[in-house]
PDB file of all heavy atoms in Angstrom:
ATOM      1  N   THR B 259     -24.531 -24.247  78.972  1.00 98.00           N
ATOM      2  CA  THR B 259     -23.350 -23.571  79.422  1.00 98.00           C
ATOM      3  C   THR B 259     -23.724 -22.080  79.415  1.00 98.00           C
ATOM      4  O   THR B 259     -24.206 -21.551  78.549  1.00 98.00           O
ATOM      5  CB  THR B 259     -22.116 -23.896  78.465  1.00 98.00           C
ATOM      6  OG1 THR B 259     -22.027 -25.300  78.333  1.00 98.00           O
ATOM      7  CG2 THR B 259     -20.856 -23.206  79.064  1.00 98.00           C
ATOM      8  N   PRO B 260     -23.297 -21.460  80.539  1.00 98.00           N
ATOM      9  CA  PRO B 260     -23.627 -19.937  80.630  1.00 98.00           C
ATOM     10  C   PRO B 260     -22.879 -19.126  79.530  1.00 98.00           C
ATOM     11  O   PRO B 260     -21.662 -19.505  79.181  1.00 98.00           O
ATOM     12  CB  PRO B 260     -23.062 -19.636  81.983  1.00 98.00           C
ATOM     13  CG  PRO B 260     -23.009 -20.794  82.714  1.00 98.00           C
ATOM     14  CD  PRO B 260     -22.742 -21.867  81.778  1.00 98.00           C
ATOM     15  N   LEU B 261     -23.629 -18.223  78.918  1.00 98.00           N
ATOM     16  CA  LEU B 261     -22.900 -17.338  77.919  1.00 98.00           C
ATOM     17  C   LEU B 261     -21.599 -16.725  78.333  1.00 98.00           C
ATOM     18  O   LEU B 261     -20.665 -16.658  77.522  1.00 98.00           O
ATOM     19  CB  LEU B 261     -23.941 -16.206  77.537  1.00 98.00           C
ATOM     20  CG  LEU B 261     -23.551 -15.150  76.628  1.00 98.00           C
ATOM     21  CD1 LEU B 261     -23.127 -15.762  75.286  1.00 98.00           C
ATOM     22  CD2 LEU B 261     -24.692 -14.204  76.403  1.00 98.00           C
ATOM     23  N   SER B 262     -21.527 -16.403  79.670  1.00 98.00           N
ATOM     24  CA  SER B 262     -20.334 -15.749  80.149  1.00 98.00           C
ATOM     25  C   SER B 262     -19.144 -16.757  80.170  1.00 98.00           C
ATOM     26  O   SER B 262     -17.941 -16.410  79.959  1.00 98.00           O
ATOM     27  CB  SER B 262     -20.474 -15.348  81.674  1.00 98.00           C
ATOM     28  OG  SER B 262     -21.106 -16.248  82.453  1.00 98.00           O
ATOM     29  N   THR B 263     -19.453 -18.109  80.378  1.00 98.00           N
ATOM     30  CA  THR B 263     -18.377 -19.131  80.373  1.00 98.00           C
ATOM     31  C   THR B 263     -17.819 -19.113  78.908  1.00 98.00           C
ATOM     32  O   THR B 263     -16.638 -19.349  78.661  1.00 98.00           O
ATOM     33  CB  THR B 263     -18.818 -20.475  80.760  1.00 98.00           C
ATOM     34  OG1 THR B 263     -19.434 -20.347  82.119  1.00 98.00           O
ATOM     35  CG2 THR B 263     -17.831 -21.541  80.808  1.00 98.00           C
ATOM     36  N   LEU B 264     -18.820 -19.192  77.936  1.00 98.00           N
ATOM     37  CA  LEU B 264     -18.300 -19.301  76.484  1.00 98.00           C
ATOM     38  C   LEU B 264     -17.373 -18.018  76.176  1.00 98.00           C
ATOM     39  O   LEU B 264     -16.399 -18.223  75.667  1.00 98.00           O
ATOM     40  CB  LEU B 264     -19.585 -19.139  75.582  1.00 98.00           C
ATOM     41  CG  LEU B 264     -19.293 -19.157  74.095  1.00 98.00           C
ATOM     42  CD1 LEU B 264     -18.626 -20.570  73.588  1.00 98.00           C
ATOM     43  CD2 LEU B 264     -20.503 -18.944  73.299  1.00 98.00           C
ATOM     44  N   ILE B 265     -17.875 -16.758  76.587  1.00 98.00           N
ATOM     45  CA  ILE B 265     -17.125 -15.736  76.277  1.00 98.00           C
ATOM     46  C   ILE B 265     -15.776 -15.447  77.058  1.00 98.00           C
ATOM     47  O   ILE B 265     -14.728 -15.355  76.492  1.00 98.00           O
ATOM     48  CB  ILE B 265     -17.910 -14.310  76.526  1.00 98.00           C
ATOM     49  CG1 ILE B 265     -19.139 -14.288  75.508  1.00 98.00           C
ATOM     50  CG2 ILE B 265     -17.103 -13.092  76.253  1.00 98.00           C
ATOM     51  CD1 ILE B 265     -20.098 -13.197  75.813  1.00 98.00           C
ATOM     52  N   ASN B 266     -15.811 -15.791  78.392  1.00 98.00           N
ATOM     53  CA  ASN B 266     -14.769 -15.654  79.154  1.00 98.00           C
ATOM     54  C   ASN B 266     -13.665 -16.685  79.189  1.00 98.00           C
ATOM     55  O   ASN B 266     -12.463 -16.497  79.137  1.00 98.00           O
ATOM     56  CB  ASN B 266     -15.103 -15.194  80.629  1.00 98.00           C
ATOM     57  CG  ASN B 266     -15.821 -13.879  80.664  1.00 98.00           C
ATOM     58  OD1 ASN B 266     -15.518 -12.904  79.845  1.00 98.00           O
ATOM     59  ND2 ASN B 266     -16.847 -13.772  81.418  1.00 98.00           N
ATOM     60  N   ASP B 267     -14.246 -17.948  79.279  1.00 97.00           N
ATOM     61  CA  ASP B 267     -13.327 -18.991  79.505  1.00 97.00           C
ATOM     62  C   ASP B 267     -12.773 -19.633  78.149  1.00 97.00           C
ATOM     63  O   ASP B 267     -11.751 -19.911  77.977  1.00 97.00           O
ATOM     64  CB  ASP B 267     -13.903 -20.299  80.340  1.00 97.00           C
ATOM     65  CG  ASP B 267     -14.342 -19.728  81.757  1.00 97.00           C
ATOM     66  OD1 ASP B 267     -13.819 -18.596  82.088  1.00 97.00           O
ATOM     67  OD2 ASP B 267     -15.093 -20.465  82.525  1.00 97.00           O
ATOM     68  N   TYR B 268     -13.859 -19.830  77.192  1.00 98.00           N
ATOM     69  CA  TYR B 268     -13.456 -20.444  75.970  1.00 98.00           C
ATOM     70  C   TYR B 268     -12.906 -19.418  74.959  1.00 98.00           C
ATOM     71  O   TYR B 268     -11.782 -19.718  74.497  1.00 98.00           O
ATOM     72  CB  TYR B 268     -14.646 -21.074  75.279  1.00 98.00           C
ATOM     73  CG  TYR B 268     -15.107 -22.392  76.027  1.00 98.00           C
ATOM     74  CD1 TYR B 268     -15.987 -22.412  77.057  1.00 98.00           C
ATOM     75  CD2 TYR B 268     -14.606 -23.684  75.656  1.00 98.00           C
ATOM     76  CE1 TYR B 268     -16.464 -23.559  77.835  1.00 98.00           C
ATOM     77  CE2 TYR B 268     -14.902 -24.759  76.323  1.00 98.00           C
ATOM     78  CZ  TYR B 268     -15.824 -24.759  77.409  1.00 98.00           C
ATOM     79  OH  TYR B 268     -16.213 -25.891  78.121  1.00 98.00           O
ATOM     80  N   ALA B 269     -13.625 -18.305  74.917  1.00 98.00           N
ATOM     81  CA  ALA B 269     -13.190 -17.325  73.859  1.00 98.00           C
ATOM     82  C   ALA B 269     -11.975 -16.300  74.496  1.00 98.00           C
ATOM     83  O   ALA B 269     -11.620 -15.357  73.770  1.00 98.00           O
ATOM     84  CB  ALA B 269     -14.284 -16.491  73.245  1.00 98.00           C
ATOM     85  N   GLY B 270     -11.766 -16.612  75.623  1.00 98.00           N
ATOM     86  CA  GLY B 270     -10.546 -15.885  76.213  1.00 98.00           C
ATOM     87  C   GLY B 270     -11.017 -14.534  76.793  1.00 98.00           C
ATOM     88  O   GLY B 270      -9.989 -13.699  77.128  1.00 98.00           O
ATOM     89  N   GLY B 271     -12.197 -14.201  76.773  1.00 98.00           N
ATOM     90  CA  GLY B 271     -12.648 -12.903  77.354  1.00 98.00           C
ATOM     91  C   GLY B 271     -12.495 -11.753  76.425  1.00 98.00           C
ATOM     92  O   GLY B 271     -11.973 -11.882  75.294  1.00 98.00           O
ATOM     93  N   MET B 272     -12.902 -10.518  76.938  1.00 97.00           N
ATOM     94  CA  MET B 272     -12.818  -9.407  76.008  1.00 97.00           C
ATOM     95  C   MET B 272     -11.350  -9.040  75.648  1.00 97.00           C
ATOM     96  O   MET B 272     -10.464  -9.248  76.483  1.00 97.00           O
ATOM     97  CB  MET B 272     -13.508  -8.230  76.757  1.00 97.00           C
ATOM     98  CG  MET B 272     -14.896  -8.458  77.227  1.00 97.00           C
ATOM     99  SD  MET B 272     -16.052  -8.927  75.890  1.00 97.00           S
ATOM    100  CE  MET B 272     -16.201  -7.350  74.995  1.00 97.00           C
TER     101      MET B 272
END
Side-chain angles (χ1 to χ4, degrees):
Chain B
T259 304
L261 176 57
S262 50
T263 304
L264 176 65
I265 294 174
N266 296 323
D267 298 350
Y268 287 90
M272 306 299 294

